Amino acid sequence: MKTIRVAIDGPSGAGKSTLARAVAGRLGYLYVDTGAIYRTVGYYAHTHGLDPKDGAAVSAALPGITVEMAYGEDGLQHMLLNGEDVTAAIRLPEISLCASAVSAHPAVRAFLLEMQRKLAREHDVIMDGRDIGTVVLPDAEVKIFLTASTEARARRRCLELEGRGTPQPYEEVLREIQERDWNDTHRDTAPLRQAEDAVLLDTTDLGFQESEAALLAIIAERTGGA
């Protein structure tokens, strides 16, 4: 079965997950939030007292980690860690940097790579992350690099955290985003970068509906409306 694969990459807080989920719903595609997968491993490290930057320690723990995705009655992607639903827990602010740290380890990326590719073989997917178009799905039919200014991403993240009841000061959120950008673009394994054949979409000055329309237009153009 030939599937359509849409790869959306970009920095933290660019709106990838929210937009990809909405567009997938419009098109009837499976939405795969790969950031949530790495957050799940980061959450494991955090709750088991592991230093997420210690590649040897995290790699040694992988045989004891089972990461699964499920789709609940709410239609949303749920993350299961060794059978436990950790969907809400992995969104806590302290897990963001843990996720960035564990995702830098080659063993972790290899551990999760086949899981992601299998989903793309079996479904039409919109998959977002940091290295989808460059590493996970390098031959995807559609590649989009979604970005926004650091300040815009920090403002959006603050609103998101407020909505979840876990507010943080803007300056703190901005600093975390800058740190994560540095980590994601300077790691040795699968650093964040725009694939040569990806379409750049900057949403700094776009509202949600405008961003969604732009994404849908790019996908329609690249797939011939398929």
Side-chain angles (χ1 to χ4, degrees):
M1 179 181 70
K2 175 64 175 173
T3 58
I4 293 176
R5 298 153 299 171
V6 179
I8 301 180
D9 291 310
S12 175
K16 298 185 303 298
S17 298
T18 307
L19 284 166
R21 184 184 300 113
V23 170
R26 293 278 294 270
L27 296 175
Y29 289 11
L30 181 69
Y31 166 60
V32 181
D33 174 5
T34 64
I37 301 173
Y38 286 99
R39 280 177 176 269
T40 302
V41 177
Y43 176 78
Y44 180 95
H46 180 74
T47 55
H48 285 75
L50 301 177
D51 178 357
K53 295 181 179 179
D54 185 338
V58 174
S59 299
L62 292 177
I65 300 176
T66 301
V67 179
E68 297 171 288
M69 287 170 46
Y71 290 85
E73 293 182 1
D74 55 9
L76 300 179
Q77 173 182 306
H78 287 248
M79 295 309 304
L80 306 178
L81 173 61
N82 294 340
E84 177 189 356
D85 190 328
V86 295
T87 306
I90 63 173
R91 296 298 173 184
L92 295 172
E94 59 266 28
I95 303 304
S96 294
L97 292 178
C98 288
S100 184
V102 299
S103 70
H105 304 315
V108 174
R109 304 200 76 84
F111 177 68
L112 298 174
L113 183 60
E114 177 52 26
M115 173 186 180
Q116 297 168 67
R117 286 180 172 169
K118 184 174 186 289
L119 289 167
R121 287 196 298 268
E122 297 176 350
H123 307 272
D124 292 330
V125 298
I126 294 184
M127 192 175 292
D128 76 71
R130 300 291 191 279
D131 66 343
I132 310 306
T134 53
V135 176
V136 180
L137 303 176
D139 54 351
E141 286 74 17
V142 185
K143 297 181 187 178
I144 299 166
F145 193 85
L146 187 70
T147 191
S149 72
T150 310
E151 294 76 15
R153 289 186 282 131
R155 287 194 298 271
R156 293 170 186 173
R157 179 69 173 155
C158 282
L159 289 173
E160 180 186 358
L161 290 170
E162 275 183 32
R164 288 182 180 152
T166 56
Q168 278 183 273
Y170 170 81
E171 292 76 13
E172 186 177 320
V173 172
L174 180 64
R175 187 170 59 251
E176 285 186 0
I177 284 180
Q178 290 169 334
E179 182 179 346
R180 189 155 190 195
D181 284 354
W182 173 265
N183 291 342
D184 289 345
T185 55
H186 288 79
R187 65 188 180 210
D188 293 331
T189 303
L192 170 66
R193 64 180 178 83
Q194 181 180 340
E196 291 183 4
D197 53 347
V199 178
L200 176 66
L201 177 58
D202 188 323
T203 66
T204 300
D205 299 317
L206 300 181
F208 178 80
Q209 290 183 325
E210 294 170 310
S211 300
E212 183 185 39
L215 270 178
L216 286 165
I218 293 168
I219 293 169
E221 180 184 352
R222 290 296 175 103
T223 62

